[in-house]
Amino acid sequence: MSIVRRFLVAPSLVRLIRKERGGARITEGYFAPQAGRVSYVRVDGQQCHLVLVSTGQDGASSEERTDVPRAHGDALLDVCSGKAQYDRTAIALGGGREARIDRYVAPGNLDLVSVAFDEIGDANGFTVPVWFGPEVSGDAAYERHAVALQGAPQPGEIALSNSALEAVLDLVEPRFGFGRYGAAAGAAAKPADEDGMMKALRRVAGGGTAAQPAPQAVAPAPVAAPEPAAPETGQNDARIDEVIESLSQALGNPQPLPPEGEAAQPARAEEAGAEFERWTVRPRRNQT
């Protein structure tokens, strides 16, 4: 048994949700109701079912589904009393609850959002989101079989507020890393190695070229005609160093970067000191 609460929803919000989350086209063909039972054939992609729905006096409904071949489903659609087509998008509301948004394209245009409950207490205690429109659960004209058999009702203009738009954006944006949740996630994923980031910025600013190793001692090559020098190279390097130093200070690393060509000097000095200590002749003590 399940209890369904239905609400109208602003078409612009449905359009926004469908743009971000997509949807699936569903076709349903209904037969005339008999003795409180509704039977219809449902085609969802390659899946096809024959469905029998029974509704109790308390408004709760139960349904039985039987798989049928797609060819049989198409044949049943041809002989049913009324058909409806809609695009369905499912979106999580939190707390394990899910909303199903249906945008009808036949027999008329209509936008509905529905939430299913297992217990009457859960249905009554449901907190309606701010982006839901007026509730139409008690209006039989908005039942799915009524829409297929009698046509889509015309509810008129649905009010849209800024708070409703903000609530929908909070629902659809975290998936793509935007919004307040996406910003927090991006901050948590920020790399901790600022020195590595500075090196990467330098490579990007310098055109993506890696540092070249020190030239080896080779035989002198024939002197070629000199190419015209780029006069602005030194100026560009100075600007790059200024930008990197500013970024480093903004990130909490106020120590300036060494100029180009000086980064390897401490290592060279240390190697020279080691060589000097290795070849220094220390005086021998005279034995007495």
Side-chain angles (χ1 to χ4, degrees):
M1 302 291 288
S2 64
I3 301 171
V4 179
R5 293 184 63 177
R6 293 183 177 88
F7 303 83
L8 297 174
V9 61
S12 56
L13 295 181
V14 176
R15 183 179 178 183
L16 174 61
I17 294 173
R18 282 181 41 77
K19 179 180 180 297
E20 301 295 344
R21 298 297 179 90
R25 175 62 58 88
I26 298 175
T27 303
E28 294 178 344
Y30 284 83
F31 302 94
Q34 296 179 354
R37 295 183 178 181
V38 176
S39 57
Y40 66 95
V41 58
R42 173 190 174 98
V43 178
D44 183 358
Q46 296 301 319
Q47 297 181 351
C48 187
H49 299 90
L50 183 60
V51 186
L52 177 63
V53 180
S54 300
T55 304
Q57 297 180 354
D58 56 353
S61 62
S62 61
E63 65 177 36
E64 299 177 6
R65 294 193 177 195
T66 302
D67 294 337
V68 296
R70 176 61 186 271
H72 294 182
D74 292 338
L76 291 172
L77 286 175
D78 292 337
V79 299
C80 64
S81 301
K83 291 188 294 184
Q85 285 186 328
Y86 55 88
D87 296 325
R88 169 165 290 183
T89 302
I91 188 167
L93 298 178
R97 197 72 65 192
E98 182 183 74
R100 296 174 296 184
I101 303 169
D102 297 333
R103 161 156 284 191
Y104 279 86
V105 295
N109 295 328
L110 179 64
D111 295 293
L112 292 175
V113 56
S114 59
V115 183
F117 305 89
D118 295 330
E119 302 290 341
I120 186 66
D122 295 338
N124 294 334
F126 174 64
T127 301
V128 181
V130 68
W131 58 275
F132 282 22
E135 184 170 5
V136 293
S137 302
D139 193 340
Y142 291 93
E143 298 284 345
R144 297 212 312 269
H145 69 274
V147 174
L149 295 172
Q150 303 171 11
Q154 301 298 323
E157 190 75 15
I158 308 300
L160 177 61
S161 64
N162 184 69
S163 58
L165 178 59
E166 291 285 353
V168 170
L169 291 176
D170 286 342
L171 285 175
V172 300
E173 284 182 342
R175 177 184 177 189
F176 301 97
F178 302 113
R180 63 176 67 101
Y181 305 106
K190 181 180 178 181
D193 188 1
E194 295 179 356
D195 182 61
M197 184 176 65
M198 290 294 103
K199 294 179 180 178
L201 286 174
R202 181 180 290 277
R203 288 197 300 269
V204 173
T209 57
Q212 299 295 331
Q216 300 288 337
V218 294
V223 179
E227 296 181 358
E232 297 181 0
T233 302
Q235 298 178 2
N236 291 338
D237 291 342
R239 294 172 185 171
I240 292 170
D241 289 338
E242 292 177 0
V243 171
I244 294 176
E245 182 177 354
S246 299
L247 289 175
S248 178
Q249 293 176 356
L251 293 173
N253 185 17
Q255 298 183 5
L257 293 175
E260 286 291 336
E262 295 183 10
Q265 289 184 4
R268 293 175 182 175
E270 184 177 353
E271 294 176 1
E275 290 293 328
F276 178 81
E277 183 178 357
R278 177 181 177 185
W279 293 104
T280 299
V281 179
R282 299 180 178 179
R284 297 180 179 180
R285 295 181 179 179
N286 295 329
Q287 295 181 358
T288 57

PDB file of all heavy atoms in Angstrom, residues 96-108:
ATOM      1  N   GLY A  96      16.010  10.068   2.770  1.00  0.00           N
ATOM      2  CA  GLY A  96      15.529   8.888   2.067  1.00  0.00           C
ATOM      3  C   GLY A  96      14.263   9.112   1.264  1.00  0.00           C
ATOM      4  O   GLY A  96      13.694   8.152   0.739  1.00  0.00           O
ATOM      5  N   ARG A  97      13.817  10.352   1.145  1.00  0.00           N
ATOM      6  CA  ARG A  97      12.592  10.668   0.415  1.00  0.00           C
ATOM      7  C   ARG A  97      12.944  11.102  -1.001  1.00  0.00           C
ATOM      8  O   ARG A  97      13.978  11.733  -1.239  1.00  0.00           O
ATOM      9  CB  ARG A  97      11.822  11.779   1.132  1.00  0.00           C
ATOM     10  CG  ARG A  97      10.367  11.897   0.710  1.00  0.00           C
ATOM     11  CD  ARG A  97       9.552  10.757   1.227  1.00  0.00           C
ATOM     12  NE  ARG A  97       9.482  10.758   2.686  1.00  0.00           N
ATOM     13  CZ  ARG A  97       9.037   9.753   3.386  1.00  0.00           C
ATOM     14  NH1 ARG A  97       8.632   8.641   2.782  1.00  0.00           N
ATOM     15  NH2 ARG A  97       8.989   9.808   4.709  1.00  0.00           N
ATOM     16  N   GLU A  98      12.076  10.757  -1.951  1.00  0.00           N
ATOM     17  CA  GLU A  98      12.308  11.065  -3.353  1.00  0.00           C
ATOM     18  C   GLU A  98      11.071  11.710  -3.958  1.00  0.00           C
ATOM     19  O   GLU A  98       9.936  11.296  -3.682  1.00  0.00           O
ATOM     20  CB  GLU A  98      12.670   9.794  -4.131  1.00  0.00           C
ATOM     21  CG  GLU A  98      12.976  10.023  -5.594  1.00  0.00           C
ATOM     22  CD  GLU A  98      13.257   8.732  -6.335  1.00  0.00           C
ATOM     23  OE1 GLU A  98      12.291   7.976  -6.589  1.00  0.00           O
ATOM     24  OE2 GLU A  98      14.440   8.463  -6.661  1.00  0.00           O
ATOM     25  N   ALA A  99      11.285  12.726  -4.768  1.00  0.00           N
ATOM     26  CA  ALA A  99      10.204  13.387  -5.491  1.00  0.00           C
ATOM     27  C   ALA A  99      10.276  12.990  -6.955  1.00  0.00           C
ATOM     28  O   ALA A  99      11.363  12.907  -7.541  1.00  0.00           O
ATOM     29  CB  ALA A  99      10.314  14.904  -5.352  1.00  0.00           C
ATOM     30  N   ARG A 100       9.120  12.741  -7.551  1.00  0.00           N
ATOM     31  CA  ARG A 100       9.023  12.397  -8.960  1.00  0.00           C
ATOM     32  C   ARG A 100       8.332  13.548  -9.693  1.00  0.00           C
ATOM     33  O   ARG A 100       7.179  13.870  -9.411  1.00  0.00           O
ATOM     34  CB  ARG A 100       8.254  11.089  -9.155  1.00  0.00           C
ATOM     35  CG  ARG A 100       8.958   9.884  -8.543  1.00  0.00           C
ATOM     36  CD  ARG A 100       8.112   8.636  -8.609  1.00  0.00           C
ATOM     37  NE  ARG A 100       6.894   8.783  -7.800  1.00  0.00           N
ATOM     38  CZ  ARG A 100       6.008   7.809  -7.619  1.00  0.00           C
ATOM     39  NH1 ARG A 100       6.194   6.628  -8.187  1.00  0.00           N
ATOM     40  NH2 ARG A 100       4.941   8.020  -6.881  1.00  0.00           N
ATOM     41  N   ILE A 101       9.058  14.147 -10.601  1.00  0.00           N
ATOM     42  CA  ILE A 101       8.563  15.294 -11.341  1.00  0.00           C
ATOM     43  C   ILE A 101       8.130  14.820 -12.719  1.00  0.00           C
ATOM     44  O   ILE A 101       8.929  14.255 -13.472  1.00  0.00           O
ATOM     45  CB  ILE A 101       9.646  16.381 -11.449  1.00  0.00           C
ATOM     46  CG1 ILE A 101      10.120  16.788 -10.052  1.00  0.00           C
ATOM     47  CG2 ILE A 101       9.137  17.589 -12.214  1.00  0.00           C
ATOM     48  CD1 ILE A 101      11.345  17.651 -10.063  1.00  0.00           C
ATOM     49  N   ASP A 102       6.873  15.037 -13.059  1.00  0.00           N
ATOM     50  CA  ASP A 102       6.307  14.588 -14.334  1.00  0.00           C
ATOM     51  C   ASP A 102       5.915  15.798 -15.156  1.00  0.00           C
ATOM     52  O   ASP A 102       5.092  16.623 -14.722  1.00  0.00           O
ATOM     53  CB  ASP A 102       5.077  13.699 -14.107  1.00  0.00           C
ATOM     54  CG  ASP A 102       5.421  12.418 -13.356  1.00  0.00           C
ATOM     55  OD1 ASP A 102       6.580  11.971 -13.462  1.00  0.00           O
ATOM     56  OD2 ASP A 102       4.537  11.879 -12.658  1.00  0.00           O
ATOM     57  N   ARG A 103       6.510  15.905 -16.326  1.00  0.00           N
ATOM     58  CA  ARG A 103       6.130  16.957 -17.292  1.00  0.00           C
ATOM     59  C   ARG A 103       5.341  16.298 -18.414  1.00  0.00           C
ATOM     60  O   ARG A 103       5.884  15.603 -19.275  1.00  0.00           O
ATOM     61  CB  ARG A 103       7.365  17.668 -17.828  1.00  0.00           C
ATOM     62  CG  ARG A 103       7.134  18.425 -19.115  1.00  0.00           C
ATOM     63  CD  ARG A 103       8.122  19.551 -19.310  1.00  0.00           C
ATOM     64  NE  ARG A 103       7.799  20.701 -18.466  1.00  0.00           N
ATOM     65  CZ  ARG A 103       8.381  21.898 -18.595  1.00  0.00           C
ATOM     66  NH1 ARG A 103       9.307  22.088 -19.498  1.00  0.00           N
ATOM     67  NH2 ARG A 103       8.023  22.890 -17.800  1.00  0.00           N
ATOM     68  N   TYR A 104       4.034  16.508 -18.405  1.00  0.00           N
ATOM     69  CA  TYR A 104       3.156  15.901 -19.411  1.00  0.00           C
ATOM     70  C   TYR A 104       3.304  16.638 -20.738  1.00  0.00           C
ATOM     71  O   TYR A 104       3.314  17.875 -20.793  1.00  0.00           O
ATOM     72  CB  TYR A 104       1.697  15.956 -18.952  1.00  0.00           C
ATOM     73  CG  TYR A 104       1.323  14.861 -17.970  1.00  0.00           C
ATOM     74  CD1 TYR A 104       1.548  15.026 -16.608  1.00  0.00           C
ATOM     75  CD2 TYR A 104       0.748  13.673 -18.412  1.00  0.00           C
ATOM     76  CE1 TYR A 104       1.204  14.038 -15.710  1.00  0.00           C
ATOM     77  CE2 TYR A 104       0.398  12.675 -17.512  1.00  0.00           C
ATOM     78  CZ  TYR A 104       0.632  12.863 -16.171  1.00  0.00           C
ATOM     79  OH  TYR A 104       0.295  11.865 -15.287  1.00  0.00           O
ATOM     80  N   VAL A 105       3.410  15.839 -21.798  1.00  0.00           N
ATOM     81  CA  VAL A 105       3.447  16.377 -23.163  1.00  0.00           C
ATOM     82  C   VAL A 105       2.215  15.948 -23.950  1.00  0.00           C
ATOM     83  O   VAL A 105       1.947  16.500 -25.022  1.00  0.00           O
ATOM     84  CB  VAL A 105       4.732  15.920 -23.882  1.00  0.00           C
ATOM     85  CG1 VAL A 105       5.959  16.506 -23.198  1.00  0.00           C
ATOM     86  CG2 VAL A 105       4.844  14.406 -23.929  1.00  0.00           C
ATOM     87  N   ALA A 106       1.464  14.976 -23.477  1.00  0.00           N
ATOM     88  CA  ALA A 106       0.205  14.519 -24.101  1.00  0.00           C
ATOM     89  C   ALA A 106      -0.644  13.891 -22.996  1.00  0.00           C
ATOM     90  O   ALA A 106      -0.114  13.206 -22.108  1.00  0.00           O
ATOM     91  CB  ALA A 106       0.484  13.496 -25.214  1.00  0.00           C
ATOM     92  N   PRO A 107      -1.936  14.139 -22.997  1.00  0.00           N
ATOM     93  CA  PRO A 107      -2.740  14.861 -23.994  1.00  0.00           C
ATOM     94  C   PRO A 107      -2.681  16.374 -23.885  1.00  0.00           C
ATOM     95  O   PRO A 107      -3.350  17.073 -24.651  1.00  0.00           O
ATOM     96  CB  PRO A 107      -4.155  14.363 -23.694  1.00  0.00           C
ATOM     97  CG  PRO A 107      -4.147  14.081 -22.230  1.00  0.00           C
ATOM     98  CD  PRO A 107      -2.783  13.565 -21.919  1.00  0.00           C
ATOM     99  N   GLY A 108      -1.919  16.917 -22.962  1.00  0.00           N
ATOM    100  CA  GLY A 108      -1.760  18.361 -22.817  1.00  0.00           C
ATOM    101  C   GLY A 108      -0.562  18.652 -21.942  1.00  0.00           C
ATOM    102  O   GLY A 108       0.101  17.738 -21.416  1.00  0.00           O
TER     103      GLY A 108
END
